[in-house]
Amino acid sequence: MDRLSLLTSELIIEIISRTSLQTFATIRCTNKYYGNLTHNNHVLHNYNRRNNVVCGIIVQQKKTWRNIERQFVPSSANNNLDIDWLPHTCTILASSLCGLLLVESYDPNEYVSKILFVIKPTTTDFKWIPFPTSEYTVVKFALVVISSNPLHFKVIRLSYTKPSDMLKEKVDYDYYKIELFSSTTWQWREFQNIQLPSSVFPVSDEAVTSGGVVYFLLSNDTILRFDIYSEEHILIFAPSIINDFKPYASRLIKFHGKLGYFSVSGDRLWTIWVFIHNR
């Protein structure tokens, strides 16, 4: 580390942008200073260009009941990605920064039944995973890659459920269930119910993952946090509640590898809050 400190920041950025994918990921996990550099726009731009990394946004829109229209929009200096080979009956439910997509489609042999796939669009490789046998109403999916070699991933499903033995004094509450699928066991597991006020529900944005933790934004600007390692969940307050300001638009984002909260307040002020050290 003493010898590395003798290098200029420009040279360090040049070295990091020429590393392999595995080294790049290791740097993010083992050193805070260099890990922050891997989120630098200049470093990411050069790294993606030199390693031919496909980076961009997939936009999809439901045209009819079973017809999805989608398009890949590449970021600057990145290659385009052909995703036209995906059937128009497929819906992308979640994505990961490792380039995997969780896709839902209708079973061609059964008109109503749905099937799940984890797909890597750059190679068209895919793995079929079973649908949970529970009959809850699905609200959200999330996909987290634990390791890439060998490939190990987990799928999180957040569903709405109404227990039959719900107490009468709790009719003002709704219940949600978290189910977790692991590629090592190839099975789903259920966790305890999450009790929320009946007026509170998960919003339509995609879940955000950071460091093995999945975050779902709720309609009252609280955040449901689920740790895939400890398999525990908690509710945390969004900045709008802590700081008592009322945004008319808000969503969770990933900012420099951390959980970010993007909001637009009544005076059209754009703000990004970053979740660091549980604050």
Side-chain angles (χ1 to χ4, degrees):
M1 293 300 298
D2 292 337
R3 293 180 179 179
L4 287 176
S5 64
L6 300 177
L7 301 178
T8 63
S9 58
E10 291 80 7
L11 186 56
I12 291 174
I13 289 175
E14 184 69 16
I15 293 173
I16 291 177
S17 64
R18 292 178 179 271
T19 59
S20 66
L21 179 62
Q22 183 176 358
T23 303
F24 197 77
T26 303
I27 290 173
R28 284 184 168 175
C29 300
T30 56
N31 185 284
K32 183 177 180 179
Y33 172 73
Y34 296 120
N36 289 333
L37 281 180
T38 61
H39 296 286
N40 179 282
N41 287 334
H42 178 67
V43 174
L44 285 173
H45 176 81
N46 288 333
Y47 178 82
N48 292 342
R49 177 173 54 84
R50 287 168 174 163
N51 292 275
N52 200 27
V53 174
V54 178
C55 183
I57 300 173
I58 293 179
V59 181
Q60 69 176 358
Q61 180 182 9
K62 182 172 287 188
K63 304 297 290 186
T64 60
W65 178 55
R66 295 185 59 182
N67 192 18
I68 304 295
E69 183 179 276
R70 66 181 60 86
Q71 181 183 5
F72 178 75
V73 183
S75 25
S76 176
N78 276 272
N79 295 328
N80 207 336
L81 177 65
D82 180 15
I83 57 174
D84 290 339
W85 54 274
L86 282 173
H88 292 294
T89 55
C90 289
T91 303
I92 298 174
L93 302 175
S95 63
S96 76
L97 288 179
C98 296
L100 297 183
L101 301 176
L102 179 66
V103 177
E104 175 189 75
S105 181
Y106 285 92
D107 190 336
N109 299 320
E110 298 182 29
Y111 189 73
V112 179
S113 299
K114 295 180 179 180
I115 50 180
L116 286 177
F117 293 91
V118 171
I119 297 176
K120 188 174 183 179
T122 53
T123 61
T124 69
D125 293 334
F126 68 91
K127 287 182 177 291
W128 168 84
I129 65 175
F131 234 99
T133 56
S134 58
E135 297 182 355
Y136 305 131
T137 303
V138 181
V139 178
K140 292 286 181 184
F141 277 97
L143 173 64
V144 179
V145 175
I146 309 299
S147 64
S148 57
N149 189 20
L151 178 61
H152 175 32
F153 60 87
K154 291 187 177 182
V155 177
I156 298 91
R157 187 173 91 150
L158 179 65
S159 303
Y160 171 79
T161 178
K162 205 78 162 173
S164 57
D165 57 347
M166 187 175 64
L167 300 177
K168 291 183 178 180
E169 60 267 23
K170 293 187 177 182
V171 293
D172 292 334
Y173 291 91
D174 286 332
Y175 292 83
Y176 292 83
K177 177 82 72 175
I178 289 180
E179 297 168 280
L180 184 67
F181 174 84
S182 174
S183 61
T184 55
T185 62
W186 217 250
Q187 292 180 343
W188 289 88
R189 288 187 296 122
E190 289 188 11
F191 297 91
Q192 69 272 26
N193 285 327
I194 302 171
Q195 179 180 299
L196 297 175
S198 57
S199 59
V200 177
F201 53 88
V203 298
S204 58
D205 297 330
E206 185 177 1
V208 170
T209 61
S210 176
V213 179
V214 182
Y215 300 93
F216 300 94
L217 180 63
L218 306 180
S219 58
N220 64 344
D221 272 340
T222 56
I223 301 168
L224 172 61
R225 179 187 189 275
F226 178 74
D227 192 315
I228 63 171
Y229 296 108
S230 66
E231 299 182 346
E232 296 178 349
H233 77 273
I234 59 172
L235 292 174
I236 60 178
F237 293 115
S240 58
I241 297 178
I242 299 173
N243 297 278
D244 197 27
F245 72 92
K246 304 298 181 184
Y248 67 80
S250 61
R251 67 175 300 165
L252 300 184
I253 61 173
K254 197 165 185 178
F255 186 80
H256 287 188
K258 301 177 178 64
L259 172 67
Y261 177 85
F262 173 81
S263 65
V264 183
S265 61
D267 56 0
R268 298 186 179 182
L269 176 68
W270 291 18
T271 310
I272 294 179
W273 302 77
V274 185
F275 192 65
I276 303 176
H277 303 310
N278 296 323
R279 296 184 58 188

